[in-house]
Amino acid sequence: MHAAQQAWQWFGRADLSLCLSFNRLCRFRPVRDLLRICSRLGNGLFWYSLIAVLPLQYGWQGVQAALHMLLVAALGLVIYKWLKTKTVRPRPCAVSQFVTQHTTALDQFSFPSGHTLHAVSFSTVLLAYFPGQALFVLPFTLLVALSRPVLGLHYPSDVLAGAVLGYLLAEASLLLLG
């Protein structure tokens, strides 16, 4: 076996092991319930409600931020769907009998975490316009990201990839539209 194959296998085992550790947090009902709620809100309800409120709260600047966030959402969706169909990585709950799925998945594939990609991209754009919203939006973004491996839907590497992609997408949009 080549060194690259061995390294990849080691990474896969470490990723699954970390996923199992996160997933065990669901033994605690308050943790499980909180993260289920965050996951459900992270499906879009939280973000699209926030986008709808921005023009009401901030006027024209809110309209600009909302349109920017919608553009990033559309681009993020294209990237996310393309990667899911190219990588076809099964969810950890489909790979290991020891990972328990604690909420419904939106699709069958794991890589990358679309919830995290969108949460990070939305937060990055929002905070570029309104830095004072950090105390409101950053804890939710972190909870959405944490919910993915804890609820058994994603490996930690899926979440990390989603966060990096979301951040890069948002930063690129800020450079182009800024």
Side-chain angles (χ1 to χ4, degrees):
M1 185 178 298
H2 293 76
Q5 288 174 317
Q6 288 177 330
W8 190 247
Q9 286 181 351
W10 176 88
F11 175 78
R13 287 190 304 273
D15 207 18
L16 179 58
S17 177
L18 193 53
C19 184
L20 285 164
S21 296
F22 277 114
N23 191 237
R24 284 186 198 108
L25 292 172
C26 275
R27 292 178 184 163
F28 305 102
R29 186 182 176 111
V31 170
R32 184 177 62 245
D33 290 347
L34 172 66
L35 294 179
R36 276 182 176 158
I37 291 167
C38 290
S39 178
R40 173 105 7 120
L41 291 172
N43 283 351
L45 180 63
F46 176 88
W47 301 112
Y48 296 121
S49 297
L50 177 64
I51 287 168
V53 168
L54 288 175
L56 301 173
Q57 185 174 0
Y58 294 105
W60 179 245
Q61 191 178 16
V63 170
Q64 291 174 309
L67 291 173
H68 193 153
M69 290 171 74
L70 288 171
L71 174 66
V72 165
L75 292 172
L77 186 62
V78 168
I79 292 167
Y80 152 81
K81 293 273 189 186
W82 182 80
L83 281 171
K84 289 258 185 176
T85 61
K86 294 301 177 194
T87 60
V88 295
R89 184 182 195 188
R91 293 188 182 274
C93 54
V95 171
S96 172
Q97 66 183 7
F98 301 109
V99 177
T100 304
Q101 181 177 333
H102 291 280
T103 195
T104 304
L106 297 178
D107 58 46
Q108 72 184 86
F109 300 120
S110 179
F111 184 88
S113 168
H115 278 71
T116 306
L117 184 152
H118 285 96
V120 170
S121 64
F122 287 148
S123 295
T124 303
V125 170
L126 177 70
L127 296 179
Y129 285 88
F130 311 110
Q133 293 294 326
L135 289 175
F136 170 66
V137 78
L138 289 180
F140 181 73
T141 298
L142 290 171
L143 287 170
V144 167
L146 180 62
S147 76
R148 310 319 289 159
V150 171
L151 295 174
L153 299 173
H154 287 282
Y155 295 94
S157 61
D158 300 333
V159 173
L160 180 61
V164 168
L165 289 168
Y167 180 76
L168 292 174
L169 172 62
E171 285 297 325
S173 76
L174 288 165
L175 284 172
L176 292 172
L177 301 174

